[in-house]
Amino acid sequence: MIEYLETSHETFQNLLCDFTEQTLTRFKQQSNRTTSILPRNPTPDSGLDLNLPDNLPENGFGIEKTFEILTKRIAPALSTTTPHYFGLVTGGTTPAAQLADQFVTLYDQNVILHAPKESIASTIEQRAIEMLLDLFLLDKNQWNGTFTTGATASNISGLAVARQSCGEKSGIDVSTEGSVGVVVDIFANMPHSSILKACSILGIGRKRVFTIDGFDIKELEDRIISSKQKGNNVVVVLGFGEVNTGDFPKNTCQIAKICKKYDVHLHIDAAFGIFARCVPELQQLADGLELADTIC
């Protein structure tokens, strides 16, 4: 028989207070921590053996026992507590982001439609988008946007728009009729892995992504002409702030002119590099961002 484990309001309140105290303690530790490449006291490999259950128990542990496992066993072993962090860039741990996470968890909104008379949630989302456009020096009369779960989903969305645009140029409404017959060649320079993933998910195909080193203008134009002569559609993808080198294209405005000349969709993956627009002495690196058709 499966026992139903009910959590009283008093138990939940006590755990919430306990967690709040731990959050404040961790924040103080992070504020006082000095950065080093190697840990002063390396954690032995055996420290990663947390004796966690490997099968779903017939009866749950209950919220108190689960909370204890999370805070006493798992939290101390997480890689963010040492310089040995074998993950991606994590941007959600600033004080403002932590407060925002707790705020949205508390109010638990789910924005699925724009209904300003019933909820302010979608209006807040739109205002946030408009402020981001101001921050990144993009004309609000020309640009709008949407929030996604991250850079990968954003590139998928951007290339989905590009695919739709390519279909319309071929007289096909991809969103209604599907993408059969719409062949898209992607020309990119050091594309992020999410570009390949997006092409796979969207049915464009990983093999349709072609790399042009340094984005030589003459080579790009020749490749576009060749693809067009075959009856293929073309999308050009630029990366602003390449994740391994921090590189920016040096000829974005020239590339944009080529794209406009041949009616080619220009997608810019600026998940990292867009922030150069916020720093006066770095803004020239991201010149031409506003010339894109879609931005991640």
Side-chain angles (χ1 to χ4, degrees):
M1 178 179 178
I2 298 177
E3 179 184 359
Y4 176 70
L5 300 175
E6 184 176 1
T7 303
S8 68
H9 290 294
E10 182 180 359
T11 298
F12 177 72
Q13 185 174 350
N14 290 337
L15 291 174
L16 191 59
C17 290
D18 188 12
F19 182 68
T20 301
E21 290 181 9
Q22 293 187 41
T23 300
L24 293 173
T25 300
R26 178 168 169 77
F27 177 71
K28 290 178 182 178
Q29 291 172 344
Q30 289 177 322
S31 300
N32 297 328
R33 185 176 62 185
T34 57
T35 302
S36 61
I37 297 175
L38 296 176
R40 293 186 176 86
N41 299 304
T43 303
D45 292 341
S46 59
L48 299 179
D49 183 9
L50 304 178
N51 193 27
L52 298 175
D54 51 11
N55 294 301
L56 182 67
E58 183 175 352
N59 296 312
F61 292 145
I63 190 171
E64 291 178 281
K65 180 64 175 177
T66 301
F67 183 78
E68 180 182 350
I69 292 173
L70 289 172
T71 57
K72 304 298 183 185
R73 284 201 238 168
I74 294 178
L78 291 175
S79 57
T80 53
T81 60
T82 78
H84 279 190
Y85 181 60
F86 299 100
L88 302 176
V89 175
T90 303
T93 54
T94 64
Q98 290 181 11
L99 286 174
D101 279 344
Q102 297 204 29
F103 183 87
V104 298
T105 298
L106 177 64
Y107 287 95
D108 194 23
Q109 300 294 293
N110 188 357
V111 184
I112 62 170
L113 75 165
H114 182 62
K117 292 183 179 180
E118 285 73 32
S119 171
I120 196 175
S122 58
T123 302
I124 292 173
E125 186 172 277
Q126 182 59 36
R127 293 294 178 272
I129 290 171
E130 291 170 359
M131 285 190 282
L132 285 172
L133 293 175
D134 286 339
L135 180 66
F136 298 134
L137 308 177
L138 294 169
D139 187 352
K140 287 187 285 191
N141 294 319
Q142 179 184 353
W143 290 92
N144 205 333
T146 187
F147 287 106
T148 68
T149 54
T152 295
S154 184
N155 273 323
I156 292 172
S157 300
L159 290 183
V161 173
R163 184 190 61 175
Q164 179 72 17
S165 174
C166 289
E168 291 174 357
K169 294 169 186 175
S170 301
I172 300 174
D173 183 349
V174 172
S175 64
T176 302
E177 303 174 35
S179 58
V180 176
V182 181
V183 179
V184 180
D185 291 337
I186 307 284
F187 296 130
N189 178 34
M190 300 178 68
H192 186 260
S193 59
S194 61
I195 296 295
L196 297 170
K197 187 187 301 183
C199 289
S200 176
I201 292 172
L202 295 170
I204 294 172
R206 294 175 183 265
K207 289 186 176 181
R208 305 312 305 175
V209 180
F210 304 97
T211 299
I212 300 179
D213 293 332
F215 255 128
D216 178 78
I217 294 297
K218 181 64 169 60
E219 181 181 356
L220 175 62
E221 188 167 15
D222 289 344
R223 298 287 290 271
I224 290 174
I225 292 172
S226 177
S227 289
K228 292 277 189 177
Q229 288 174 343
K230 296 174 185 176
N232 297 350
N233 295 278
V234 178
V235 174
V236 170
V237 176
L238 296 182
F240 275 29
E242 199 275 330
V243 293
N244 296 304
T245 65
D247 193 31
F248 285 76
K250 307 297 188 296
N251 48 5
T252 301
C253 293
Q254 289 179 283
I255 293 171
K257 288 180 181 178
I258 294 294
C259 290
K260 186 174 182 179
K261 177 180 178 180
Y262 293 99
D263 195 20
V264 167
H265 188 101
L266 176 59
H267 174 73
I268 296 183
D269 177 0
F272 290 93
I274 197 171
F275 296 98
R277 307 272 285 195
C278 309
V279 185
E281 56 268 31
L282 299 178
Q283 285 177 3
Q284 76 279 0
L285 292 174
D287 282 348
L289 176 70
E290 68 281 355
L291 302 175
D293 296 295
T294 48
I295 299 172
C296 161

